[in-house]
Amino acid sequence: MTAEWSQWPRRHRRVVDVVVAILLCALATYASRFIDHDNGEGPVAVRAISPGVFALSAAASLALLWRREFPRAVLAITTACGIAIGALGFEVSVLTAGAAFVAMYSLGLWYPNARTAKLAPLVAGAALLIA
């Protein structure tokens, strides 16, 4: 019985990818409400859900559906969405850039020895830190 459950994610990869994409989009959108660039030492401010952050989170999460076929392009898209979230004035955190981290993992998983798999995550991570 346990062996059947452990094989389920491998047999239903698209279902797992869709669930991961939905969870990452929801977490990024929800986390953006509580994280504020302009908030200094006081309590964390709570904002309304931003349509821009939701759209960018959805775009980054949807891109993850093609992470197995096009890992480099997905990393570029998710990183660009994370940078755009920062450009909107929201903090780029682990939750708001979660799709980019999944894309970095996927690139390293599918191309473990490629030069791109070593350099692209460094460039993407640096870009997200700067944003």
Side-chain angles (χ1 to χ4, degrees):
M1 184 71 140
T2 306
E4 290 179 26
W5 279 105
S6 65
Q7 295 299 318
W8 191 89
R10 290 185 183 150
R11 286 183 276 153
H12 301 92
R13 289 183 178 185
R14 281 291 177 202
V15 174
V16 172
D17 285 349
V18 167
V19 169
V20 167
I22 290 170
L23 286 174
L24 283 172
C25 181
L27 283 173
T29 303
Y30 187 72
S32 70
R33 294 183 62 214
F34 299 102
I35 302 169
D36 190 357
H37 263 312
D38 301 326
N39 193 6
E41 306 242 341
V44 175
V46 178
R47 300 180 180 182
I49 293 177
S50 168
V53 172
F54 177 73
L56 289 167
S57 298
S61 299
L62 282 174
L64 289 176
L65 296 179
W66 291 278
R67 69 187 172 94
R68 298 176 200 276
E69 293 86 9
F70 308 104
R72 293 178 189 111
V74 169
L75 178 59
I77 292 167
T78 56
T79 301
C81 289
I83 291 170
I85 288 172
L88 287 176
F90 292 87
E91 183 78 28
V92 178
S93 68
V94 173
L95 293 176
T96 55
F101 294 129
V102 172
M104 288 179 203
Y105 170 77
S106 297
L107 182 62
L109 184 67
W110 298 112
Y111 297 101
N113 296 323
R115 188 174 186 186
T116 306
K118 296 174 184 165
L119 293 177
L122 289 174
V123 172
L128 289 169
L129 280 174
I130 291 170

